[in-house]
Amino acid sequence: MQHYVFEPSPRAELPVEGLASRFPVRRIYCVGRNYAAHAREMDGDPVREAPFFFSKPADSLVPMGGEIPFPPATRELHHEVELVVALGSGGRNIGPEEGRELVYGYAVGIDLTRRDIQRQARADAHPWDMAKGFDGSAPCSTIKPISICGHPRAGLIFMLVNGELRQSGDLSDQIWSPEETLSHLSHLVALAPGDLVFTGTPPGVGPLRPGDHFEARVEGVGTLIGSVTRAS
C-alpha cells in the first residue's frame, strides 16, 4: 500500500449523463478567441490568427456550477460560455480527421476570467495564469456522451445573467472546429483520456457580480446553472 506524507487531494471529476460512473479529469485546456465576433471584441484578428491555448488547473473545476464565491484580487470577473470537449482517448500529432475519434462526450463550461488581471498581464507581456487559472474558474456541466448527443457542430450557445441574454452565438460560428482544435493542440502536447478542452466563446462576454444568477446553455448538450456569492 502506498503511503504519502499527507493525504492527496481528491481527483477532479464530472458526472456523466445516464451513468453512475464518473469522468476523471486529467487536464483542462482552453482555446482563445475561436469565434470571429468575440475575437474582434477582444481586439483580435479572426482572419489571420491561428489558434492559441492556455490551461486551467484540474482542481479549478466546479462540477455542476452551483454557488461560486467571487474570487479575490479582482473587480472584473467575466463570464465566457463554451462548448467543452471531453476526451476518452489521446495521442500526439493527430490530423483533423482523427480528432473526432478521441471524443468521449461534450459539456457546457464557463471560462471565468479576472479581466482586469488579464488586461494588465497583456499590457506587461506577462502570462495569463492568475487571470484564468484561479480557484473555481472552470464551472462545468454533466458530460453528455456522444452516444446520446453525437458531435454537435451547429446549435445555439448562449449565456443568461439574471434572466438577461448576455452571450449568444452558434457552434457553427467557430473559426476552428473541435477536430481542428484538437489537432493543433496535439502538436503542442500529448492529449490523453480525461482531458477537457474548452473550445472558445461567442461575443458578449461581461461581468458577474455577487448575487448574480447565471444560466449557460449549449443546444443539444446541456445547461449549467449557478450563482455568484460574496467571497468568504
Side-chain angles (χ1 to χ4, degrees):
M1 181 177 179
Q2 183 68 53
H3 294 278
Y4 299 95
V5 296
F6 53 82
E7 190 65 25
S9 299
R11 182 164 189 171
E13 58 183 35
L14 287 169
V16 178
E17 184 172 326
L19 295 178
S21 302
R22 313 282 285 186
F23 183 91
V25 175
R26 174 181 175 262
R27 295 178 178 174
I28 301 175
Y29 299 104
C30 306
V31 60
R33 299 200 285 258
N34 197 29
Y35 288 74
H38 174 60
R40 294 187 187 99
E41 75 177 353
M42 299 302 292
D43 300 321
D45 186 339
V47 176
R48 294 183 299 171
E49 191 169 55
F52 68 94
F53 300 91
F54 57 93
S55 62
K56 294 174 181 276
D59 64 4
S60 69
L61 196 70
V62 184
M64 306 299 292
E67 294 188 346
I68 299 172
F70 193 90
T74 184
R75 295 182 179 180
E76 292 184 70
L77 176 66
H78 278 201
H79 56 76
E80 301 188 13
V81 59
E82 313 211 0
L83 173 71
V84 178
V85 180
L87 301 190
S89 59
R92 290 181 182 271
N93 303 322
I94 64 170
E97 67 283 352
E98 302 172 80
R100 186 168 295 204
E101 302 304 315
L102 307 185
V103 180
Y104 174 81
Y106 296 89
V108 183
I110 301 175
D111 168 20
L112 292 177
T113 303
R114 295 195 280 205
R115 190 70 71 198
D116 45 357
I117 293 180
Q118 184 193 38
R119 189 180 299 116
Q120 188 61 53
R122 291 172 63 187
D124 295 339
H126 288 171
W128 291 4
D129 297 60
M130 293 300 100
K132 291 287 193 176
F134 54 92
D135 300 336
S137 62
C140 193
S141 73
T142 296
I143 292 174
K144 184 170 285 191
I146 59 172
S147 59
I148 299 176
C149 68
H151 294 277
R153 296 296 177 264
L156 294 177
I157 175 172
F158 62 90
M159 177 95 178
L160 302 171
V161 178
N162 300 327
E164 174 191 355
L165 183 64
R166 289 278 189 86
Q167 291 185 260
S168 181
D170 194 284
L171 297 178
S172 62
D173 296 334
Q174 291 186 344
I175 299 169
W176 301 97
S177 70
E179 291 88 349
E180 291 169 325
T181 294
L182 293 175
S183 177
H184 279 284
L185 184 56
S186 76
H187 285 76
L188 298 171
V189 295
L191 300 177
D195 288 345
L196 298 179
V197 182
F198 283 56
T199 60
T201 195
V205 300
L208 286 171
R209 300 181 176 89
D212 283 348
H213 298 269
F214 61 81
E215 178 180 336
R217 186 177 300 176
V218 177
E219 186 178 0
V221 175
T223 303
L224 178 62
I225 295 174
S227 60
V228 180
T229 65
R230 296 192 180 279
S232 57

